[in-house]
Amino acid sequence: MTPEQLKFDREHIWHPYTSMTNPTPCLPVASTSGVTITLTTGEVLIDGMSSWWSAIHGYANKQINDAAHAQIDNMSHVMFGGLTHEPAIELAKNLVSITPEPLDKVFLADSGSVAVEVAIKMALQYWQAKGLQQKHKLVSLLNGYHGDTFGAMAVCDPLNGMHDIFSDILPKHFFADSPKITFDQPWNPQDIQPLAEILACEHDNIAALILEPIVQGAGGMRIYHPEYLSQARALCNKYNVLLIADEIATGFGRTGKMFACEHANISPDIMCVGKALTGGYMTLAATLTSKEVADTISNGGAKCFMHGPTFMGNPLACAVANASINILKTGKWQQQISQIEQGLKQGLTPAKALSKVKDVRVIGAIGVIELHEAVDSVRIQRQFVEQKIWVRPFGKLVYIMPAYVIDPKSLEKLTSAIVQVVASH
Ligand SMILES: Cc1ncc(COP(=O)(O)O)c(C=O)c1O
C-alpha cells in the first residue's frame, strides 16, 4: 500500500467510531488466512478478535471459499421480492434446525443492527395486530448493546451504549438494572427484581424485553447467571411480553452452546443472529420468530410484515452462511471451544495478580480482562502489534474471542502477550 493510499484513507474514509479530523491510526492489511492477519509491511499478527466475533472458522477457510466461488459463478444476487432461490431456502432450513423450537419463521436481514430493527418491528406489529397498540415500549437492560441504527440505539444502555448524544431524539424505553450475579456465583433472586418491578408496573405498555443472553458484549463484556435468563423468560410469560434474544454476538457456539439461550434452556419469541452467520465472510443477519408471532402479524391490519430490504436473502451471502453452518454441524466446534476456554482461563488468570486489573472472566471462547482505568487505546494497540498480536480493547476492557480453529500455541502466544502488555501498559 502506498503512502498516498494511506493518506487518502486518513483524509476521506470513516472507520468505525473515528474522527475525520483526528483519526486513530489504521494498519494496512495485505491478506488474512487462518488465524493470522498479514500487514503490507510483512508483519504477521495472530488475530484475537475474529473480526468482531465473526470469523469463527478462521480466514480463507477452503470449504467456505469453495462455496463462495461456486455461488458467484452461478448467481451473486437476485431480488427476493417475488423470487426465491436454493441458498436462501437451505439457509432458512439450517437456521430453523439449529435454533431452539419454536423458532421457525426466518427473516433475512442485512446486518445485526437491521436484524434488531426487524425484531422490534415484529414485536410492535404483533401487538398492533392483537389490538393492543398501547404495548409499544421495550424494556432493555443497562449495559446492553444492540447496534447503531435508531431503533437499536434506543435499546442500548442510555449512557455507556455509545449513543447518549442522541438521547433527546430517541424513543424512550424502560431499562432494568443489569444482572449482577455472574455465571458461576450462587444465584440470588434479588438480581431479577429490577426487571420484575418494571414488568409488574408497565407490562400494559411493553411489547418486548430485549436482551443479550448470558454475555452482554459491547456494553461491558459482562457474563451473567443463566437463572436470570430463565426468570426473565418466566416473567415475560407471566406479563404477556415478548422476549427478543439478541444472539448476534453470542450465537453459533461462541459461549460453548450453539446459542447462549441454551445455557438456561429457554426459547425466545424472537431471536436475532448475525456476525458469525457467514463465518465472517460478509454481512448477513437473520431474525427468527415463532409461527404464533408470524401468523398474528400476518393476520393483522397490514396483512404482511412491513420490511423488505434490497439485498434481502442475497444468494452469495446465504451460500456462504450455509457453508459456515455446515462446518458447525460436524460438531467439532464443541471440543474446540472447550479447549479454547481452558487455554483462556490458564493464560489470562495470571493477570488477576496485577493491581491495575479488576477482573478476569472467561466463558467459551471469550476472554476478558477488565482494568480499573481505561487504556490508552492507540498506545496499547501499538504494544500489541509489537508483540505480533491483534487485539482491540475498548475503555477498561481488553478482550479476545479467537477463531475456533486457533491452535494451542497461537492461543498461548496471544494470552501471554496480552498479560505482558497489560502489565507494562
Ligand atoms: C449484541 C449485538 N447486537 C447487535 C449488534 C449490531 O450488529 P452490526 O454491527 O452487524 O450492525 C452487535 C454488534 O456488535 C452486537 O454485539
Side-chain angles (χ1 to χ4, degrees):
M1 207 171 289
T2 63
E4 287 71 28
Q5 284 174 315
L6 281 172
K7 182 169 177 287
F8 187 90
D9 183 300
R10 257 192 324 275
E11 290 175 357
H12 297 276
I13 309 180
W14 251 302
H15 286 261
Y17 286 93
T18 52
S19 152
M20 266 290 160
T21 50
N22 185 23
T24 45
C26 277
L27 302 175
V29 176
S31 65
T32 54
S33 173
V35 296
T36 59
I37 298 173
T38 302
L39 302 181
T40 52
T41 54
E43 283 168 292
V44 179
L45 311 180
I46 298 172
D47 179 22
M49 304 305 289
S50 296
S51 284
W52 278 332
W53 314 78
S54 66
I56 53 175
H57 307 299
Y59 300 107
N61 174 283
K62 168 133 179 41
Q63 220 170 306
I64 306 181
N65 281 3
D66 288 349
H69 287 138
Q71 185 58 44
I72 208 166
D73 286 343
N74 186 42
M75 169 171 58
S76 174
H77 183 63
V78 68
M79 64 186 280
F80 212 44
L83 299 172
T84 195
H85 46 77
E86 201 174 308
I89 295 168
E90 285 311 303
L91 179 56
K93 272 194 195 169
N94 269 328
L95 288 173
V96 168
S97 78
I98 62 172
T99 51
E101 281 182 16
L103 300 172
D104 72 348
K105 308 285 179 188
V106 183
F107 188 101
L108 296 168
D110 322 44
S111 69
S113 300
V114 174
V116 169
E117 299 288 334
V118 165
I120 294 172
K121 207 187 260 190
M122 279 181 183
L124 299 184
Q125 258 195 258
Y126 175 79
W127 292 113
Q128 262 184 26
K130 284 185 171 270
L132 294 170
Q133 280 82 349
Q134 75 280 13
K135 278 171 90 68
H136 67 276
K137 296 275 179 199
L138 285 112
V139 56
S140 180
L141 305 184
L142 292 181
N143 291 104
Y145 177 77
H146 298 285
D148 289 355
T149 52
F150 273 77
M153 283 200 292
V155 289
C156 291
D157 183 300
L159 292 178
N160 87 354
M162 301 185 263
H163 310 309
D164 57 311
I165 60 164
F166 301 108
S167 60
D168 288 347
I169 48 169
L170 290 173
K172 297 276 176 279
H173 296 303
F174 298 104
F175 287 90
D177 203 358
S178 40
K180 299 283 179 295
I181 307 295
T182 63
F183 193 84
D184 297 318
Q185 283 175 334
W187 170 245
N188 180 344
Q190 284 303 316
D191 216 29
I192 198 78
Q193 275 317 304
L195 178 63
E197 279 161 27
I198 292 174
L199 286 169
C201 295
E202 300 290 348
H203 60 272
D204 283 343
N205 303 313
I206 294 178
L209 161 65
I210 181 165
L211 48 71
E212 296 152 277
I214 303 297
V215 181
Q216 293 190 292
M221 301 299 293
R222 307 170 83 255
I223 307 168
Y224 65 88
H225 201 287
E227 188 57 26
Y228 186 95
L229 202 51
S230 306
Q231 304 252 336
R233 173 69 273 182
L235 286 167
C236 286
N237 293 348
K238 178 174 172 187
Y239 290 116
N240 240 0
V241 162
L242 297 175
L243 175 61
I244 303 172
D246 178 350
E247 292 257 12
I248 288 163
T250 49
F252 304 105
R254 180 57 70 181
T255 67
K257 301 278 186 191
M258 184 62 96
F259 293 98
C261 282
E262 294 169 30
H263 287 285
N265 274 321
I266 61 117
S267 287
D269 302 292
I270 301 174
M271 182 191 269
C272 305
V273 296
K275 287 192 184 282
L277 174 59
T278 60
Y281 269 59
M282 59 189 74
T283 180
L284 182 70
T287 307
L288 288 98
T289 193
S290 64
K291 177 170 164 36
E292 202 267 313
V293 171
D295 286 359
T296 305
I297 290 171
S298 308
N299 295 330
K303 296 284 176 229
C304 66
F305 181 55
M306 301 300 283
H307 209 94
T310 306
F311 286 99
M312 185 169 180
N314 173 258
L316 185 54
C318 289
V320 162
N322 284 324
S324 175
I325 293 174
N326 287 339
I327 297 172
L328 290 173
K329 277 175 153 180
T330 64
K332 212 170 153 197
W333 62 272
Q334 282 164 309
Q335 199 194 346
Q336 292 169 330
I337 300 283
S338 90
Q339 274 168 4
I340 294 172
E341 186 172 51
Q342 266 175 20
L344 288 173
K345 282 182 177 158
Q346 238 167 44
L348 296 180
T349 301
K352 276 190 177 163
L354 303 169
S355 60
K356 64 179 79 168
V357 170
K358 186 173 171 202
D359 190 27
V360 174
R361 42 191 186 261
V362 170
I363 185 170
I366 307 169
V368 185
I369 298 179
E370 182 175 349
L371 305 168
H372 291 290
E373 305 288 335
V375 297
D376 171 342
S377 52
V378 173
R379 189 158 63 89
I380 201 164
Q381 199 79 89
R382 219 172 22 239
Q383 289 178 292
F384 285 136
V385 172
E386 278 162 18
Q387 293 290 325
K388 307 270 189 282
I389 63 171
W390 179 245
V391 182
R392 191 166 167 79
F394 67 84
K396 298 173 184 174
L397 299 164
V398 178
Y399 65 103
I400 49 171
M401 54 304 225
Y404 303 171
V405 293
I406 194 166
D407 58 285
K409 210 165 140 230
S410 301
L411 183 60
E412 205 277 321
K413 164 78 189 158
L414 200 51
T415 54
S416 59
I418 288 172
V419 176
Q420 196 180 322
V421 167
V422 166
S424 65
H425 179 67

